[in-house]
Amino acid sequence: MKDGKRMNVLILGSGGREHALAWKTAQSSRLGQLYIAPGNPGTATCGENVPLHLHDHAEIIRFCREKTIDLVLVGPEAPLAEGIADSLTGAGFRCFGPSRAAAQIEASKVFAKHFMARHGIPTARYATFDKLSQALAYLEQIDYLPVIKASGLAAGKGVILPHTRAEAEAIVREMLERRAFGAAGSEVVIEERLTGPEVSLMAFSDGKTVIPMLPAQDHKRIFDGDQGPNTGGMGAYAPSPLLTAEGVREAWETVLQPAVNGLRLEGRPFVGVLYAGLMLTPAGLRVLEFNCRFGDPETQAVLSLLETDLLEIAEACVEGRLSEMEIRWKPGASVCVVLAAKGYPEQPETGQPITMGALPENVVCFHAGTKIDTDGRLVTSGGRVLGVTSYAAHLFDAVNLAYDAVKQITFDGMQYRTDIAARVLKADSSAYAASGVSIDAGNRAVELMKSAVKSTYTPAVLAGIGSFGGLFDASLLKQMQNPVLVASTDGVGTKVKLAAQAGRYRSIGHDIVNHCIDDILVQGARPLFFMDYFATSHLNPEQTAEVVTGMAEACRQAGMALLGGETAEMPGVYQPGAFDVAGTIVGVLEREQMLPRLSALKAGDVLLGLRSSGPHTNGYSLIRKVFADTPLETVFPELGLSLADALLAPHRSYLDVLASVITLPHVKALAHLTGGGFIENIPRILPENLSAVIRLGSWPVPPLWGLIQQKGNIACEEMYRVFNMGIGMVVVVEKQAVNVVQASIPEETFVIGELVPGAHKTILQGL
Ligand code: AMP
Ligand code: GLY
């Protein structure tokens, strides 16, 4: 595309990240004019700084018109969360950065956690609260050391790692009672504290395709040795050997692509840079957070290694044709050392004159908190002042080069870390092994499976893996009034066949567990433990570990122990390559909370629908027939993702969003839309004298269903008999309480129908 039209570009932001973006953009053969708003003295060497206000969308749009801007690149998260991309696209300008709705992945940690749960993206187990009493009660119950996070944007200060229960309680009070974190802290996430090295993996996304950049590592604490308070980031290097090529592929498959698919399927396609903050825990990789933009200072290091023209990539993203791009990286490594002001991160001192000698070759000094004062001197004007960024063939040399360059720069009170990348340089292979990413694949499979299973253990597990029978301490039930145990066994049907065909195993683990969770949730129960059965023609440790790891992830997300299971090798019974999974769940509830509340159900009760993540686990025999001749890699334009991604999206668990809702007095019943679709599942919870009316058109039916119907030439009614049509769970609610119940479910719900007098069936209205 070298001969493509030249583009006038506007970059929004004023930090080190934006200087790196401007620096890289200035190298583009496609660049016309470059403007940075508001920019800093560093960006002024790459293009023209313009004093626009980032909240003033009208002003930005006027500027874009005046200068015929072809592309806007957005640096920071705040304008994205405020909808700058929506304003720009609404006015006909192309914006590389997500819509307000897609930016929720960063702007609301509550949204992000529920989103990850919905799409089976591995993350720490958690709960969310906006009521102090409930949060405090939860802190009493949990068996793990918590991390407390303000849900909203809090400029990197909203995450707190308490050392004691008392400290945790105090923080929750600060957020929910005293509003010390403002609106950002009006909702909190309490999640399990994980351990392991952290890696930042950024990726380009056009809403469908997602291409990872090189993995980088940030250094968040202010002092050497990861001591002292958290900062915006004191230095970074790339590529990080902590995430091998195999690790990047795993993150792409289990985190980035499911996130981009999920956002798209939920009607908020993500265009821009998706940043995954990953922790490499002993049980595998976990997402700590998503950001909706380039990281700072990771971008300074990563863009220094980007060979492909950044503008061509950004243009491909906004035009939805990223899959056509090949993204190339320079061999070698880059290191960014942040020079911070005295008093950072609490109260940075500003106005100090900066002196800078000649920098060595292959070093760029990116400006962040600098300005030109009234005397024309370069002075400090923020916490992170400069990012000294080097490039060399080897990480070791890049580190030395960066620190050589640091010696050329002085300002009063300058502080920086002297150990950027030091840990990985020192680490031998055993340290990598400890991070669980690059040890021998075979052993890892077994180890991974064991540690994945163990990572689900609650204190109630007395004996688990390796014993003849699992032992689960039931004394916690003594605290209940009238405990009732609920058990259910299920399989995932012929979805396993598609998974085997696509070589995807982990999501099948999520499928079986989440399916079982939903089956007992509709009876009002919360899960205690799970037992699995995995049978295959030929035992392949990697594949087994994947399935079991998937089950363990889903169990952990539900706070349920994977107490035991059985792996069976049965050549001759299963065809080569074929496998099957089944599982049994045991849960508990108070007798008074049993669902459905049959005697309370009456005509006029309203049916609320919650989204499904795909076909879940039913209708796959028909689906396989419809797509028998279609390769799984096929990307249908209406789906915007491969058939494999659309069909193998993991089954949702509704536990996190409905656990507290099912105890509300006006919630009368739940129906899990599984085999039998609307027609058969809803009557299962109704008394003989009531029917359910489902109003078609009352929720957006995702495009997958239209595709199946059309390709398979299936009657509309049949679709609703077999499939969930985009609704995975139905909640039956007293009419007057609909608003209250909707407000207590932390995602969009749809009023899809109501109960009417009649003979115990589902009536589809609007066929
Ligand atoms: P975040 O803004 O979510 O990335 O959190 C900031 C930092 O807090 C992370 O870089 C981690 O060092 C730490 N952190 C966040 N969540 C967890 C967790 N679940 N377990 C351990 N550390 C965490
Ligand atoms: N370096 C962390 C961030 O950009 O959020």
Side-chain angles (χ1 to χ4, degrees), residues 1 4-12 28 30-33 35 60-61 63-65 67-75 80 83-99 206 271-272 309-322:
M1 294 280 287
K5 173 179 166 292
R6 285 189 179 263
M7 292 186 264
N8 294 335
V9 176
L10 170 64
I11 295 176
L12 300 181
S28 169
R30 299 284 311 281
L31 182 66
Q33 294 297 314
Y35 303 94
I60 293 172
I61 288 166
F63 179 84
C64 290
R65 288 213 177 96
K67 301 291 183 188
T68 54
I69 296 295
D70 298 293
L71 184 65
V72 180
L73 308 181
V74 186
L80 292 166
I84 185 67
D86 310 72
S87 301
L88 284 166
T89 40
F93 294 99
R94 302 190 301 178
C95 178
F96 180 70
S99 67
D206 67 358
V271 176
D309 190 319
L310 178 63
L311 282 188
E312 303 223 322
I313 302 174
E315 188 183 46
C317 286
V318 298
E319 291 178 355
R321 46 174 187 79
L322 183 59

Side-chain angles (χ1 to χ4, degrees), residues 460-676:
V461 175
L462 305 178
I465 202 166
S467 54
F468 283 103
L471 295 176
F472 191 88
D473 184 351
S475 49
L476 77 164
L477 306 188
K478 285 195 292 200
Q479 296 159 12
M480 300 176 67
Q481 303 286 324
N482 298 303
V484 174
L485 293 179
V486 188
S488 171
T489 295
D490 225 311
V492 301
T494 52
K495 192 174 186 177
V496 289
K497 191 135 188 184
L498 272 185
Q501 225 175 308
R504 296 199 192 174
Y505 305 104
R506 192 178 293 208
S507 59
I508 283 290
H510 289 251
D511 284 321
I512 181 64
V513 172
N514 290 343
H515 180 113
C516 288
I517 290 173
D518 291 341
D519 274 347
I520 66 165
L521 180 68
V522 303
Q523 293 182 286
R526 67 181 163 82
L528 294 173
F529 61 82
F530 188 80
M531 318 264 321
D532 74 274
Y533 177 73
F534 177 72
T536 169
S537 58
H538 168 73
L539 210 55
N540 165 339
E542 275 288 340
Q543 172 188 322
T544 317
E546 275 294 292
V547 177
V548 176
T549 300
M551 292 195 247
E553 281 171 357
C555 284
R556 212 171 34 242
Q557 270 159 22
M560 154 169 71
L562 180 48
L563 190 60
E566 163 70 356
T567 306
E569 188 171 29
M570 303 208 284
V573 175
Y574 291 93
Q575 282 164 8
F579 69 94
D580 195 14
V581 292
T584 297
I585 192 169
V586 174
V588 66
L589 75 159
E590 286 285 4
R591 188 185 295 245
E592 296 66 40
Q593 307 266 323
M594 261 188 315
L595 292 178
R597 294 188 239 284
L598 275 182
S599 57
L601 287 168
K602 62 176 198 299
D605 286 348
V606 171
L607 306 180
L608 289 180
L610 276 78
R611 286 180 205 269
S612 61
S613 54
H616 284 178
T617 47
N618 62 286
Y620 279 88
S621 299
L622 181 52
I623 289 176
R624 286 194 305 112
K625 209 161 91 196
V626 170
F627 293 109
D629 302 323
T630 316
L632 285 170
E633 312 77 66
T634 310
V635 175
F636 286 95
E638 57 267 61
L639 302 183
L641 36 101
S642 73
L643 197 56
D645 284 332
L647 295 181
L648 291 171
H651 196 307
R652 273 194 73 178
S653 151
Y654 294 90
L655 179 67
D656 55 345
V657 291
L658 292 180
S660 55
V661 173
I662 56 175
T663 61
L664 297 176
H666 299 301
V667 172
K668 302 182 181 181
L670 259 57
H672 176 195
L673 294 191
T674 169

Side-chain angles (χ1 to χ4, degrees), residues 315-385:
E315 188 183 46
C317 286
V318 298
E319 291 178 355
R321 46 174 187 79
L322 183 59
S323 60
E324 294 167 16
M325 290 291 301
E326 189 208 342
I327 297 183
R328 290 178 314 280
W329 300 93
K330 287 207 263 183
S334 175
V335 173
C336 171
V337 177
V338 170
L339 307 181
K342 184 171 169 181
Y344 182 69
E346 287 87 12
Q347 281 245 305
E349 191 180 278
T350 57
Q352 295 301 331
I354 302 168
T355 62
M356 210 181 289
L359 296 177
E361 206 182 323
N362 286 327
V363 171
V364 189
C365 180
F366 292 118
H367 289 233
T370 68
K371 68 171 191 187
I372 306 287
D373 73 1
T374 45
D375 300 328
R377 298 177 308 173
L378 182 69
V379 298
T380 66
S381 71
R384 290 188 289 177
V385 178

